[in-house]
Amino acid sequence: MQAKAKQGSFTGAAVERAKDGTLTLHWQTTANLGPVKVYWSQSPDSGWKELARTYASFGGLRTKDPNPGSRVYFKVKAASGAAITTAERLLPLQGATNFRDLGGYKTADGKTVKWGKLFRSDELAGLTASDIAYLQKSGLKTIVDYRTDEEVKSKPDPAIPGAAYVRNPVFGQSGSGTDIMSFMASGEFDKMGKPGDVLTAANRDMVDSPSAYVKLFDMMLDPASAALVQHCTAGKDRTGLGSALMLLALGVPKETVVQDFMLSNKYREAYNKAAVDAMVKQFNLTDENAIEVIKALMDVRPEYINAAFDEMTKKYGSIQGFLEKGLGLSKDEQAKLKRMYLE
C-alpha cells in the first residue's frame, strides 16, 4: 500500500513580473501536496481557466502572461482541495510606480484579504492610455484622492471610464503637506528639523485629524465602491496610513501592516534616488543634514507609521480604540468589512 500524502495547506504565494513580461509564481506549503493545477482568471472571484499542471514540491511556476494588458489572478489547487489565490502586488503600469493591491495578506484569525478589491497608489497623472484601459478592465470603481487642491490642480487625475472620482484631502490647504512642499521649493531644509521629524509629526497629525479616513471607511462599507484605489502624490504617507487602517480594521496583524507600509521603499527606490540627486543638484547642497532630511522625506520608515500607532494609543487607549472612537467604526461595521473583504 502506498503511504498517503500528508494533509497540508498553502501558507503563502506571490507573483513577480520580469522585464520581458514573464511571470513567476512562488508558493509555500506546510507539507508536500503532490500534483497541483494552476488556474488563471481576469477576476479573483470566478472564471478560472486551467493554465498548467505541476507539483507542489517545485514551489513555483514560470509562465508567459496568459492575458497581456489585463489584470490576472492565479489559483494554485492541490488534489486534496488545498488552494491559494495570488496575483502581482505591484500593478504593471507605465505611468505609476507604486500602484499596489492590498490582497493576499493573512489576518490574525487565518483569513485572507481578497485580491482585486482594495488598492493603493501614488499620483495617477502619468497614466498612459494602456494603463487606463488596464485599470478599466480590472473593474476599478472608485478613485479616492487625498491630495490638496494645489496638488490636484498641478497634476489632475485622468478620467477612468466606470470609476467614480472622489476628492478627499487629508490635509487642509495649509498644514503638513503644503508646508513640506514650500520648504522644499525654497530650499529651507533647516526648518524641517532632524531627518524624519517632518513625517513622524505628519503621521501624528493625520491621526489627530482623521476626517478623510472616516470618509474612506464610509466608501469601503458601500459594496458599490469596490474595487477602490486610494492615492496621494507619492502613495506612501497619506496613502500609507489609509492602507494601514484598512488592513488593521480587517484584522491584519500590525507587523504585516508595517511590512506593507515599507514596500514603498522597494517600489520607489529608483524614483527616490533620482529625486534626491536632483534636489541636491538644484540647491547645490553640501550640508549632510539637509541631504539626510531630503532622503527621509522620500523614504518610508517604521518610526513614521509607529508614530501614528503611538498617537492612537495615547489618545484612544489602543489602535482598536481609534478605529471605534476616532473613526466611528462600530463592531458591526467592522464585522461587515470582514465579510466583504476577507475570504
Side-chain angles (χ1 to χ4, degrees), residues 122-155:
D122 52 343
E123 63 191 15
L124 306 179
L127 293 180
T128 64
S130 61
D131 290 340
I132 290 168
Y134 179 99
L135 292 172
Q136 190 184 4
K137 283 186 275 185
S138 76
L140 190 65
K141 291 284 183 287
T142 311
I143 301 160
V144 182
D145 189 346
Y146 291 138
R147 298 175 300 161
T148 63
D149 289 349
E150 196 175 317
E151 290 172 286
V152 171
K153 190 177 174 186
S154 167
K155 291 187 172 180

Side-chain angles (χ1 to χ4, degrees), residues 269-298:
E269 185 177 12
Y271 179 92
N272 286 352
K273 185 180 185 311
V276 171
D277 290 348
M279 264 186 274
V280 168
K281 188 176 178 184
Q282 180 185 346
F283 295 107
N284 197 22
L285 291 177
T286 53
D287 177 44
E288 278 304 315
N289 186 69
I291 295 168
E292 287 304 314
V293 164
I294 295 170
K295 285 180 180 172
L297 282 170
M298 293 296 160

Side-chain angles (χ1 to χ4, degrees), residues 22-249:
T22 303
L23 299 171
T24 303
L25 282 72
H26 304 278
W27 56 77
Q28 301 83 42
T29 62
T30 58
N32 183 359
L33 300 176
V36 294
K37 291 181 182 177
V38 180
Y39 300 86
W40 74 274
S41 177
Q42 279 184 262
S43 162
D45 305 317
S46 60
W48 298 103
K49 304 174 187 71
E50 188 176 316
L51 176 71
R53 298 185 183 200
T54 183
Y55 292 89
S57 57
F58 292 170
L61 174 75
R62 196 159 174 253
T63 179
K64 286 182 180 172
D65 187 336
N67 201 20
S70 294
R71 184 93 174 119
V72 179
Y73 301 90
F74 296 94
K75 182 179 281 189
V76 188
K77 191 170 182 182
S80 65
I84 193 165
T85 303
T86 189
E88 291 174 85
R89 186 157 304 289
L90 181 72
L91 274 63
L93 303 174
Q94 295 170 323
T97 57
N98 202 15
F99 199 123
R100 287 144 56 188
D101 196 323
L102 289 171
Y105 289 124
K106 294 282 185 193
T107 64
D109 61 358
K111 297 211 160 128
T112 306
V113 179
K114 289 180 181 178
W115 288 96
K117 308 296 181 193
L118 301 171
F119 297 93
R120 54 175 296 174
S121 184
D122 52 343
E123 63 191 15
L124 306 179
L127 293 180
T128 64
S130 61
D131 290 340
I132 290 168
Y134 179 99
L135 292 172
Q136 190 184 4
K137 283 186 275 185
S138 76
L140 190 65
K141 291 284 183 287
T142 311
I143 301 160
V144 182
D145 189 346
Y146 291 138
R147 298 175 300 161
T148 63
D149 289 349
E150 196 175 317
E151 290 172 286
V152 171
K153 190 177 174 186
S154 167
K155 291 187 172 180
D157 280 11
I160 298 178
Y165 173 78
V166 181
R167 287 276 290 110
N168 189 24
V170 168
F171 297 119
Q173 299 319 308
S174 62
S176 301
T178 46
D179 287 349
I180 293 166
M181 297 314 290
S182 63
F183 290 152
M184 288 172 72
S186 58
E188 296 177 290
F189 300 105
D190 56 322
K191 291 188 178 176
M192 294 196 231
K194 297 195 295 293
D197 280 359
V198 169
L199 291 179
T200 299
N203 271 275
R204 284 197 293 265
D205 291 347
M206 290 188 284
V207 171
D208 293 340
S209 303
S211 59
Y213 301 119
V214 173
K215 190 172 173 181
L216 171 70
F217 278 99
D218 286 344
M219 287 180 273
M220 269 184 80
L221 283 159
D222 179 357
S225 292
L228 175 151
V229 63
Q230 22 134 29
H231 84 91
C232 51
T233 293
K236 68 184 185 71
D237 301 309
R238 291 165 284 186
T239 300
L241 182 58
S243 303
L245 293 171
M246 283 177 160
L247 294 174
L248 290 165

